[in-house]
Amino acid sequence: MVSLLTAFKRRFVGETSCSLASGLSLSDFPSNFAFIRVFSGEYLYLFSVPVTNPYESEKILAEYLLFHYGADDEILGKIPGPREALSFPRRSVSELIGPMQRDACALDLGCAVGRSTFELARYAASVTGIDFSASFIAAAQELKTAGQIESSRRIEGDLTAPFTAKVPAGIDPSRVTFETGDATILRPDLAGFDAVLAANLICRLPEPCKFLDRLPQLIKPGGQLLLTTPFTWLEEFTPRANWLGGDGLRSFDALKDILSPHFELQMSKDLPFLIREHERKFQYGVALGSRWLRR
Ligand SMILES: C[S@@+](CC[C@H](N)C(=O)[O-])C[C@H]1O[C@@H](n2cnc3c(N)ncnc32)[C@H](O)[C@@H]1O
């Protein structure tokens, strides 16, 4: 119970309160609270947690659905933006993945609304997508079951246009499963994958090393680790003491030091990405993509 609570506390700003559920109803709490129900002995405990995780907001959900599933023109329109930065969630798989066996199983950590998870299903017989955001996973699950989900694209201010996110043709959704989870405290039975993707995840983790330390167990010998990261360290996500590198050491060199006992670096390349906020505002970044072979 304590570790579950600690996991939530690490991810949200503010005090977590714990109360016995008896006599309480959900309407007693403001809507920006999330709830964890935990049975202990004969009691049901209800933890209320103030939600400040940006990846739970409706605005970011709509931006990520467009980022993952939008057509080039739905994202950029006639704006003279960097077209090579489009389709990042597809390219983070297609431009990094090496040869895979037909019966391979893959894991996508920090999968958000699931586009890269679906893309991995072009190469693997089964793929699990895990993300900390319940809203993202609910949307990914809806895409798996219904094939599409209604959302919107922001034009400016409060003006939006309808947008339908769809699983691309040629992908078998039955190969894919989604679940919520924390990449730094994964359940112990997750192990021995042929491929693990973590796209733009590590600089969003409070403890990136905890995640990196688990990788040798997650990936079977001969399996692949696909990483992308722009190394955008921010104290709101990662305490400064946990940033990779520092004191003159570059983050990628720190990553090599950590991974090299168990992984061989096979290739690396720049992977630009573009996230639309509204018709005339975008986040442009260039992730460093890398493929590592589990020794
Ligand atoms: C920058 S986004 C990248 C999403 C996706 N991989 C992509 O490339 O579009 C970071 C993602 O990591 C998720 N995340 C953050 N902390 C996490 C954790 N501890 N475990 C699993 N996912 C986490 C967020 O919810 C978000 O979906």
Side-chain angles (χ1 to χ4, degrees):
M1 183 159 71
V2 170
S3 68
L4 183 61
L5 186 57
T6 308
F8 267 76
K9 283 181 91 167
R10 277 197 298 111
R11 305 298 299 149
F12 300 100
V13 179
E15 284 304 302
T16 304
S17 68
C18 166
S19 24
L20 204 55
S22 141
L24 292 175
S25 83
L26 292 187
S27 58
D28 294 329
F29 294 86
S31 60
N32 62 338
F33 273 63
F35 298 92
I36 323 165
R37 287 183 301 166
V38 177
F39 285 96
S40 176
E42 60 191 286
Y43 295 112
L44 165 65
Y45 289 87
L46 181 66
F47 296 98
S48 58
V49 186
V51 175
T52 54
N53 180 356
Y55 295 112
E56 295 289 2
S57 77
E58 275 182 37
K59 174 180 177 287
I60 302 291
L61 174 62
E63 286 178 10
Y64 266 76
L65 283 167
L66 189 64
F67 175 42
H68 279 213
Y69 299 96
D72 294 2
D73 282 349
E74 288 171 315
I75 296 170
L76 263 181
K78 294 187 169 48
I79 296 292
R83 292 196 170 257
E84 74 283 0
L86 295 166
S87 303
F88 172 82
R90 175 178 59 73
R91 287 183 292 108
S92 63
V93 175
S94 65
E95 297 196 20
L96 293 181
I97 201 160
M100 295 264 280
Q101 305 278 5
R102 278 179 179 275
D103 62 349
C105 57
L107 179 65
D108 182 5
L109 290 172
C111 67
V113 292
R115 175 61 185 271
S116 301
T117 320
F118 287 117
E119 291 298 325
L120 282 165
R122 296 186 195 273
Y123 305 86
S126 68
V127 192
T128 303
I130 296 181
D131 199 278
F132 198 78
S133 162
S135 326
F136 278 2
I137 289 298
Q141 188 60 39
E142 175 75 9
L143 279 151
K144 173 189 156 79
T145 51
Q148 63 181 56
I149 187 169
E150 298 307 323
S151 184
S152 61
R153 305 181 295 135
R154 189 161 302 280
I155 296 173
E156 59 185 33
D158 290 333
L159 188 62
T160 59
F163 163 66
T164 306
K166 291 185 180 151
V167 177
I171 290 172
D172 177 359
S174 71
R175 295 181 173 202
V176 168
T177 54
F178 291 105
E179 62 185 66
T180 53
D182 183 336
T184 59
I185 41 171
L186 293 167
R187 51 193 165 81
D189 60 306
L190 289 172
F193 286 91
D194 298 282
V196 169
L197 168 70
N200 295 359
L201 173 70
I202 57 176
C203 57
R204 291 293 168 268
L205 297 174
E207 295 176 276
C209 282
K210 211 167 161 189
F211 159 71
L212 295 171
D213 289 346
R214 177 72 192 275
L215 289 171
Q217 188 208 347
L218 272 185
I219 303 171
K220 62 166 69 155
Q224 308 175 40
L225 167 64
L226 313 178
L227 283 181
T228 80
T229 172
F231 297 117
T232 305
W233 300 113
L234 293 169
E235 283 191 290
E236 67 187 273
F237 292 105
T238 316
R240 188 173 288 264
N242 296 346
W243 295 2
L244 297 185
D247 286 334
L249 181 67
R250 299 291 302 259
S251 294
F252 194 52
D253 291 327
L255 195 58
K256 284 183 200 158
D257 289 345
I258 294 166
L259 292 178
S260 59
H262 297 284
F263 293 91
E264 176 194 330
L265 177 61
Q266 289 200 308
M267 55 89 91
S268 63
K269 69 185 299 186
D270 293 329
L271 290 172
F273 61 89
L274 192 71
I275 303 176
R276 168 176 162 146
E277 290 185 23
H278 61 72
E279 193 177 52
R280 294 182 177 278
K281 185 163 186 283
F282 301 84
Q283 292 171 37
Y284 174 76
V286 183
L288 181 55
S290 50
R291 182 174 75 230
W292 307 72
L293 189 72
R294 173 79 168 93
R295 296 182 200 279

